[in-house]
Amino acid sequence: MSKPRMTFWQIVNMNIGFFGIQFSFGLQQSSMSPIYKYLGADEASLPYLWLAGPMTGLLVQPLIGALSDRTTSRWGRRTPYFLIGAVLCSIGLLAMPYSPTLWMAASLLWILDAANNVTMEPYRAFVSDKLPASQHTLGFLTQSAFTGLGQTLAYLTPSLLVWIGMDKDAVNGSHIPQVVVAAFLIGAVCSLVSVLWSVKTTPEDPLPAEKLAAMRAAPGGWRHTLAEIVAAVRDMPPTMKQLALVKLFQWYAMFCYWQFITLSLARTLFGTSDAASPGFRDAGLLNGQIGAFYNFVAFLAAFALVPFARRIGPHVVHAVCLLLAGAGMLAIPHIHTPVLLLVPMVGIGLAWASIMGNPYVILASSLPPERTGVYMGIFNMFIVIPMIIQIFTLPLIYRGWLGGNPENVIRLAGVLLICAAGAMRLVRYNAPGAIERTETAYGEMERDGGGVRRGAR
């Protein structure tokens, strides 16, 4: 059944909920390592405390993907998961900054990440549900743009609060700075309101009667759901397998960066590793500012990358972006002037836009429509498994091979991103009509949204 084409602004409305999801993820990326340090965590043990994200992603996303493919509720297949996840995410964000102990903060992160994963996986499938193949590029890169915008504001919010006069230090006996508490409260509101906006403005398309009847007649229960996941893994498209090595390198690298960038900046620019020192708090604010900058670059680049994907293919664009980010991360430990950090952030922003969009563009055209949800969930395993590997291997080499120096972790991330760029040579992007669909999507941006420049603004 052919799907109606959507205008640029309809696609934007559909993906606004992704903004709230990514605001939440941005708060985690920018604030969880400092929060753990404020609560007394050891540097070498930090990766273990980040286990919640990849483990919940590994368990939740394939399961939710399979369930949402088979859901026949009156609200649709994906919408119930959007709403449940958004509510739980808001509760987790509200509670996180009031954690009095390290174990409570780590426990709340499990709830928060599970909720984010419940919402995000069906959102990937929602793009394929609503849009014809010729608009997949625009749909997924719009999600990438909202990733950049949401995380820009998440990273920048603590600094904005300081600029308007809020205290950057902890108050009332708390270990966690007041601006971090306020940022998480803002995130709770954004997470829920943005998802409600998308649900209100973009209802799911009703399924054809015959397909709905077939879904209701199919056997249910958790055993059949697990069997569907196993069968999908067995029948995995070749393109998906080829992307596995790329995602191993790139997500190991990104997890290294998020966990240790504040610690690296504290040493390089402020000469401290003491979480109670003013320099460490300043490093946290600086990380928020440069993180906001690279995410804003990603927001703009998500649209700007479309014509390059049209001309040379998303696989080539992705390789170039990873290479630029790798070079940028290698440069960061050698920079001792804050403003110069914006230079490598351009490369990291380009890579972040590409990471959140182009692999899904490459993959989408190879997926069977009736299995889109489960395959998007399985594809997320290629994100979380590298993170789990990082969590259990980095502490083993942190004090030995890396000298107990967070700057060396950032250098390692740079090398791995360059390896990911090299691994893109193994990916064959030969989907029938893929380039034509990309060209159509780009032309549609110009007709429906006033072009790339208007979309970027």
Side-chain angles (χ1 to χ4, degrees):
M1 184 180 66
S2 61
K3 301 172 185 176
R5 301 175 70 81
M6 297 178 68
T7 68
F8 174 75
W9 294 111
Q10 286 175 326
I11 294 173
V12 167
N13 274 332
M14 178 177 70
N15 285 305
I16 279 177
F18 218 71
F19 166 83
I21 298 170
Q22 295 301 327
F23 196 106
S24 173
F25 276 119
L27 288 173
Q28 294 175 49
Q29 292 166 13
S30 63
S31 300
M32 285 315 301
S33 281
I35 285 175
Y36 287 149
K37 283 285 286 181
Y38 296 141
L39 296 173
D42 175 65
E43 279 186 15
S45 300
L46 279 178
Y48 296 133
L49 296 170
W50 283 66
L51 184 61
M55 281 302 297
T56 55
L58 180 66
L59 298 173
V60 171
Q61 287 216 20
L63 180 61
I64 294 298
L67 288 173
S68 69
D69 281 343
R70 301 158 67 94
T71 296
T72 58
S73 77
R74 57 182 290 189
W75 298 283
R77 291 196 292 173
R78 320 296 182 188
T79 301
Y81 302 97
F82 296 164
L83 296 175
I84 293 170
V87 170
L88 292 176
C89 178
S90 294
I91 293 171
L93 289 170
L94 285 171
M96 177 65 76
Y98 295 103
S99 302
T101 60
L102 185 60
W103 70 266
M104 181 172 287
S107 300
L108 284 171
L109 187 61
W110 281 82
I111 297 172
L112 183 56
D113 273 319
N116 278 327
N117 282 302
V118 166
T119 306
M120 188 164 68
E121 192 289 324
Y123 231 121
R124 297 291 192 190
F126 190 42
V127 170
S128 293
D129 291 347
K130 291 286 291 185
L131 298 177
S134 62
Q135 291 191 306
H136 282 173
T137 298
L138 179 55
F140 285 116
L141 286 175
T142 301
Q143 285 192 348
S144 179
F146 277 115
T147 297
L149 181 61
Q151 295 196 10
T152 294
L153 295 178
Y155 272 88
L156 196 57
T157 295
S159 291
L160 292 174
L161 293 173
V162 170
W163 293 337
I164 64 174
M166 187 172 287
D167 197 333
K168 69 179 179 181
D169 296 319
V171 295
N172 299 326
S174 172
H175 296 284
I176 299 173
Q178 186 179 16
V179 292
V180 175
V181 175
F184 273 77
L185 299 183
I186 292 169
V189 175
C190 288
S191 178
L192 186 58
V193 171
S194 63
V195 170
L196 290 175
W197 177 276
S198 287
V199 170
K200 176 68 174 177
T201 60
T202 316
E204 293 190 60
D205 295 331
L207 293 170
E210 62 275 13
K211 184 172 182 179
L212 192 60
M215 290 172 63
R216 286 174 173 165
W222 65 270
R223 292 181 181 176
H224 294 285
T225 300
L226 292 179
E228 170 63 16
I229 295 172
V230 171
V233 171
R234 184 181 62 243
D235 302 332
M236 190 182 299
T239 301
M240 201 167 173
K241 297 176 184 177
Q242 292 163 4
L243 284 165
L245 185 61
V246 178
K247 293 176 82 70
L248 170 63
F249 287 131
Q250 76 182 24
W251 285 106
Y252 194 113
M254 294 307 297
F255 231 37
C256 287
Y257 176 84
W258 292 328
Q259 290 169 1
F260 286 90
I261 183 60
T262 297
L263 280 66
S264 176
L265 295 176
R267 290 200 182 197
T268 304
L269 279 83
F270 300 98
T272 184
S273 59
D274 181 5
S277 67
F280 191 89
R281 297 184 191 278
D282 289 338
L285 291 173
L286 177 60
N287 177 45
Q289 293 157 18
I290 63 173
F293 180 78
Y294 89 67
N295 277 287
F296 186 69
V297 170
F299 168 64
L300 299 178
F303 295 112
L305 290 178
V306 175
F308 293 98
R310 174 180 64 89
R311 294 189 183 101
I312 61 177
H315 56 311
V316 177
V317 170
H318 192 51
V320 172
C321 291
L322 291 174
L323 199 61
L324 292 173
M329 288 193 187
L330 287 173
I332 287 172
H334 302 283
I335 295 174
H336 300 279
T337 304
V339 70
L340 294 181
L341 289 169
L342 300 182
V343 176
M345 292 303 119
V346 173
I348 294 173
L350 290 171
W352 189 228
S354 186
I355 286 170
M356 296 304 292
N358 279 319
Y360 297 95
V361 175
I362 295 168
L363 179 69
S365 58
S366 69
L367 300 181
E370 68 278 5
R371 281 181 161 180
T372 300
V374 68
Y375 272 124
M376 287 298 181
I378 292 170
F379 196 49
N380 187 66
M381 294 169 65
F382 295 168
I383 298 174
V384 299
I385 290 175
M387 291 178 176
I388 292 171
I389 293 172
Q390 188 265 2
I391 284 169
F392 287 105
T393 57
L394 191 69
L396 301 178
I397 64 174
Y398 181 71
R399 301 206 185 278
W401 292 2
L402 300 177
N405 188 345
E407 297 171 39
N408 289 334
V409 180
I410 304 303
R411 293 186 178 99
L412 173 64
V415 171
L416 292 174
L417 285 177
I418 293 171
C419 291
M424 280 301 299
R425 293 179 60 86
L426 303 176
V427 178
R428 297 291 175 261
Y429 181 60
N430 297 316
I435 300 300
E436 289 80 3
R437 288 195 296 273
T438 303
E439 291 173 349
T440 303
Y442 180 58
E444 184 181 1
M445 282 185 68
E446 294 177 319
R447 291 194 303 273
D448 295 334
V452 172
R453 289 182 297 275
R454 184 185 297 180
R457 287 196 298 269

